[in-house]
Amino acid sequence: MSYKPVVLGGDVVPFRRYKDGSGVRDWVRAAALGALADAGLEARDIDAVIVASETDFLSLQLVPGPLILDEIGLTGVPVMRVESGGASGGNALRAGVMHVMSGLAKRVLIIGYENAASHLNSDDVRLLYGLSFDADLEGWAGATATMLYALSIQDHMERFGTTAKQMAAVSVKNHANAGPNPWAHKPMQISTEDVLDSPLVSSPYRMLDCSLISDGAAALVLCAEDALPEGAANRCTRVVASACATDHVRLGDRPQPGIFHGKARAMQAACRQAWVLNPATDIDVVELYDSYTGAELQAIEALGLCPEGQAGPRGLDGEFSLQGRLPVNVSGGLIGQGGAPGAVGLAQAITVSRLIEGRYWPDLQVGRRYRRGVVDCHAGVGTLNVVHILEGPDG
């Protein structure tokens, strides 16, 4: 990418199960105003708005864009809505990149939200998530997300010898990382044994292998380099790659259902844009879509961060911990920080940009400086994949 949009600012409404009477309007307003303040802008400085959520069935609000504009004082500004399941926030960021690179807008406010945890019955949410696969052949037949992810990781375990203990280490790491993160839904200090002893959901996945369903919102401002406000010199993070790729919806149509080939294609395209020759050595930090512990291991390998079959043992050795060679999900990921799908991709980008700029939560920054980071999210079982690469001035 020859023209590199700047991540000017962002904010996150903590991922939670809200029972305080607040709702989407409140969360979106807080996230948007927080992002504008972080960017040093006012509402009148925004040229376009992009809104993301997983599905109208969760929020029970059709055509949310104009309503959100009313709530944040931007009525009259162009707005578009992006829906891509768990990749909604990532694809909204991608739409923002396109706006800036094409010249359609100089300053774009991107807002992602979800209202899935507190106002709907869990069985209804589970059914709706099942419809995000092949609704006719899988969802209405009773297939659930956990069931399909479990089938995928079973194939991975058979091919590479991945173990339940290796997956449990992901849960331990991500829940611990969430501890110093005030945006996180489920900070916990747990052991590998706690994970392995938690209730079985769909073999091999146990309760503590699964990510959370959360309410929440995130907002981010992208800016053209020639439209940076005064005093923004310290906002150095650029989006240097934006890519999207897909895989077969049904696992049965994939020759290797335990390998995220669509994610690998998206990462390869992003690396070409960013002139990254070897992700395993050229990437410093990663926020990826850990819908399940095994999915984190599958994603690490698909992103080219280690050889196939090696993410499990390397993770067990601490390679992807805060102090390891390549920190993965410093925020806690979906397992620790929480899963509000429309907001996840944006929260990931905010996290990576702040880590690059050295202004993330101190106990998670741990004195490290990062040059280049990856933001990765997906819908389905690695079906629709969106990958961004962010760089600082030394990237």
Side-chain angles (χ1 to χ4, degrees):
M1 287 166 47
S2 58
Y3 195 79
K4 302 173 183 177
V6 178
V7 180
L8 191 56
D11 198 14
V12 177
V13 170
F15 291 179
R16 297 283 189 273
R17 186 182 296 271
Y18 284 98
K19 295 289 188 180
D20 59 358
S22 65
V24 168
R25 297 168 189 247
D26 306 291
W27 311 331
V28 163
R29 187 186 312 112
L33 295 179
L36 290 171
D38 190 47
L41 300 177
E42 298 183 15
R44 65 172 180 266
D45 298 318
I46 297 299
D47 303 323
V49 175
I50 299 167
V51 173
S53 65
E54 181 166 36
T55 170
D56 295 335
F57 289 113
L58 293 176
S59 66
L60 303 181
Q61 172 65 57
L62 277 65
V63 196
L67 179 64
I68 288 174
L69 294 185
D70 286 350
E71 290 294 326
I72 60 178
L74 279 170
T75 304
V77 171
V79 65
M80 67 179 292
R81 187 274 183 90
V82 173
E83 179 183 345
S84 301
S88 295
N91 247 348
L93 177 59
R94 182 166 162 78
V97 170
M98 293 176 184
H99 270 67
V100 173
M101 290 184 65
S102 67
L104 279 175
K106 293 286 190 180
R107 295 165 174 168
V108 182
L109 176 63
I110 310 164
I111 306 168
Y113 67 90
E114 216 62 68
N115 189 14
S118 58
H119 79 121
L120 294 176
N121 181 282
S122 59
D123 288 337
D124 292 335
V125 174
R126 192 175 299 111
L127 171 63
L128 290 170
Y129 279 170
L131 301 182
S132 65
F133 303 96
D134 186 323
D136 288 338
L137 299 182
E138 295 173 327
W140 292 119
T144 66
T146 306
M147 180 189 305
L148 295 171
Y149 272 97
L151 288 171
S152 177
I153 196 61
Q154 285 173 17
D155 178 79
H156 192 276
M157 296 170 81
E158 178 67 22
R159 289 177 188 276
F160 302 114
T162 304
T163 67
K165 183 177 181 180
Q166 292 166 357
M167 291 187 286
V170 172
S171 181
V172 172
K173 170 180 71 70
N174 290 357
H175 279 112
N177 286 358
N181 178 1
W183 296 335
H185 189 165
K186 202 69 171 179
M188 297 171 67
Q189 292 294 329
I190 56 175
S191 67
T192 300
E193 290 71 27
D194 291 330
V195 181
L196 296 175
D197 290 341
S198 63
L200 187 67
V201 181
S202 185
S203 182
Y205 285 137
R206 297 182 175 274
M207 185 177 68
L208 290 175
D209 286 303
C210 306
S211 63
L212 300 158
I213 298 174
S214 307
D215 301 321
L220 179 151
V221 177
L222 277 187
C223 185
E225 290 184 286
D226 60 0
L228 290 172
E230 290 186 18
N234 64 323
R235 301 304 161 87
C236 57
T237 306
R238 268 69 175 168
V239 181
V240 297
S242 177
C244 178
T246 58
D247 205 340
H248 293 290
V249 173
R250 295 182 298 273
L251 289 178
D253 293 337
R254 303 182 191 181
Q256 298 171 308
I259 300 174
F260 288 173
H261 288 295
K263 192 179 294 289
R265 284 190 284 270
M267 181 61 171
Q268 289 159 11
C271 287
R272 288 193 295 269
Q273 294 175 27
W275 295 93
V276 170
L277 300 179
N278 183 356
T281 58
D282 296 344
I283 299 299
D284 300 326
V285 65
V286 179
E287 287 286 310
L288 59 76
Y289 205 80
D290 58 322
S291 42
Y292 297 85
T293 53
E296 174 164 315
L297 303 180
Q298 291 167 292
I300 288 171
E301 294 169 9
L303 295 170
L305 305 175
C306 77
E308 288 183 345
Q310 289 297 304
R314 291 189 182 205
L316 203 57
D317 289 341
E319 186 166 321
F320 308 118
S321 68
L322 283 181
Q323 303 288 359
R325 178 188 68 85
L326 176 59
V328 172
N329 283 333
V330 172
S331 68
L334 279 75
I335 288 171
Q337 179 169 260
V344 165
L346 299 176
Q348 290 174 327
I350 294 165
T351 296
V352 170
S353 68
R354 290 192 178 191
L355 284 166
I356 288 173
E357 292 164 7
R359 60 189 193 100
Y360 196 52
W361 314 116
D363 287 343
L364 292 171
Q365 187 83 40
V366 292
R368 294 183 70 155
R369 301 294 296 194
Y370 300 98
R371 301 169 301 119
R372 184 183 292 121
V374 165
V375 174
D376 154 74
C377 54
H378 68 247
V381 185
T383 306
L384 190 164
N385 306 271
V386 181
V387 174
H388 290 88
I389 299 178
L390 279 56
E391 279 187 4
D394 301 322

